[in-house]
Amino acid sequence: MYNQTKAWVLEAGQRLRESMDTDPRIEYKTSVRDLVTEKDREIESFFVSRIRHAYPDHDILGEEGIHEKGLNDPQQGWVWIIDPIDGTTNFVHQKQNFCISVALYEKGEPRLGFIYDPMAGELFHAIAGQGAFLNDQRLAPLTETKVEEAVIGINSLWLTPNKHFDFKPLQALVRDVRGTRSVGAAALEMAYVACGRLDAYLTLRLSPWDFAAGLAIVREVGAVTSTVHNQPVQVFEKSSVLVARPGLHQAIIDRYLHSPSARR
Ligand code: 2AM
Ligand code: CA
Ligand code: CA
Ligand code: CA
């Protein structure tokens, strides 16, 4: 299963790489900030047809909804969770810094996670209980870091007034850390926490396909993951996500997110 999925992910990435010379047709989903291209649908279809052929009784949850059958109880059986292009805005504007994210869950537990950046040639992957890898290199368990020495991933939108969260504690956090980065692709940002390029990643509203593979990978290196309210992330529900090195996660929760004003 692992080898087959890896081959699919690499092939899908190659298709995207080869298509970069021609500009994809773009559509707006909920707004002009929310893009989808023909490539998003094409790549999701690629996975859906292969999974349906190889594993007809597995469920599939993809961002673009290509697999029209609804999910059975996701806590039962096997579910594939697919983001065909995570970072579509980067795909369109930068032609880099996007990825394919594919996860396989059994009874609500991660089994496989793949996050592939085809332009960088970086495949982050994990088999549950067997460690996480960047290409052929095993990722080391994460060590602790202080807030003041941390570089964290955060989208600057969350520092502006929004309906999901009190943004003021986050402004204090970004003032206190060594630096902030915004890659613009949630799955890649989780992969970067796994390999130590980011010490933490914080986001207030994501969907299962944004974080399913990331969760499978970061847990293998001992990253701590929760919602911003320090609750377990439910993989089949929309959620906020705070993923960080051990120690740093607790410090961010205690110092910035646990204040009554930050709770809802
Ligand atoms: P996407 O590219 O697959 O849509 C930065 O935009 C990150 O937030 C990306 O990982 C993006 O995933 C995700 N995201 C989730 N919901 C989004 C939305 N409505 N509009 C834009 N990006 C969204
Ligand atoms: Ca999208
Ligand atoms: Ca996404
Ligand atoms: Ca997407």
Side-chain angles (χ1 to χ4, degrees):
M1 233 174 195
Y2 163 79
N3 284 326
Q4 184 173 51
T5 310
K6 185 176 173 184
W8 290 340
V9 170
L10 292 174
E11 186 183 340
Q14 189 181 341
R15 286 177 179 222
L16 279 180
R17 234 180 4 248
E18 286 169 356
S19 77
M20 295 308 284
D21 307 338
T22 48
D23 286 336
R25 249 181 304 120
I26 300 165
E27 288 166 36
Y28 304 138
K29 290 173 94 174
T30 54
S31 74
V32 292
R33 307 175 66 120
D34 187 4
L35 306 180
V36 63
T37 74
E38 57 195 312
K39 295 294 163 197
D40 296 70
R41 298 201 184 92
E42 217 174 281
I43 296 296
E44 190 165 310
S45 299
F46 169 92
F47 284 106
V48 168
S49 63
R50 274 156 189 77
I51 293 165
R52 277 160 90 172
H53 184 257
Y55 309 107
D57 54 341
H58 287 191
D59 275 338
I60 305 173
L61 179 61
E63 180 180 6
E64 310 310 336
I66 301 293
H67 183 66
E68 67 289 350
K69 275 200 294 175
L71 279 187
N72 297 312
D73 179 358
Q75 299 303 334
Q76 302 298 320
W78 296 81
V79 187
W80 296 80
I81 310 177
I82 300 161
D83 195 338
I85 302 180
D86 182 51
T88 298
T89 307
N90 290 348
F91 175 68
V92 170
H93 284 255
Q94 304 187 333
K95 298 191 186 303
Q96 61 180 355
N97 298 324
F98 59 87
C99 62
I100 296 166
S101 176
V102 175
L104 177 60
Y105 279 67
E106 183 193 12
K107 294 187 179 143
E109 287 294 317
R111 293 285 169 234
L112 300 177
F114 292 87
I115 295 174
Y116 184 36
D117 175 344
M119 306 314 283
E122 291 189 327
L123 177 66
F124 297 86
H125 51 108
I127 306 179
Q130 295 184 34
F133 295 80
L134 165 49
N135 295 332
D136 296 331
Q137 189 191 339
R138 178 184 286 274
L139 298 176
L142 295 179
T143 54
E144 301 204 359
T145 304
K146 293 186 227 161
V147 168
E148 290 71 18
E149 294 174 3
V151 175
I152 66 167
I154 188 167
N155 181 332
S156 52
L157 196 61
W158 299 128
L159 304 174
T160 65
N162 66 80
K163 65 181 178 198
H164 299 296
F165 203 81
D166 177 6
F167 57 97
K168 289 192 196 73
L170 297 183
Q171 292 184 336
L173 174 63
V174 302
R175 269 199 305 271
D176 289 351
V177 293
R178 179 172 284 165
T180 59
R181 299 290 182 270
S182 195
V183 178
L188 264 191
E189 283 166 288
M190 293 184 75
Y192 289 177
V193 172
C195 71
R197 290 179 198 167
L198 291 174
D199 299 299
Y201 172 60
L202 188 157
T203 178
L204 297 192
R205 195 162 170 81
L206 288 181
S207 298
W209 41 82
D210 298 311
F211 52 70
L215 293 178
I217 291 169
V218 298
R219 63 146 62 180
E220 294 297 317
V221 291
V224 182
T225 308
S226 71
T227 70
V228 294
H229 304 302
N230 206 20
Q231 300 297 310
V233 173
Q234 305 292 333
V235 72
F236 293 105
E237 291 168 21
K238 279 188 192 284
S239 180
S240 61
V241 175
L242 169 63
V243 52
R245 292 176 182 272
L248 180 62
H249 181 280
Q250 197 61 46
I252 292 174
I253 291 284
D254 290 347
R255 284 167 59 181
Y256 303 96
L257 302 178
H258 213 68
S259 58
S261 62
R263 306 190 107 200
R264 279 180 67 147

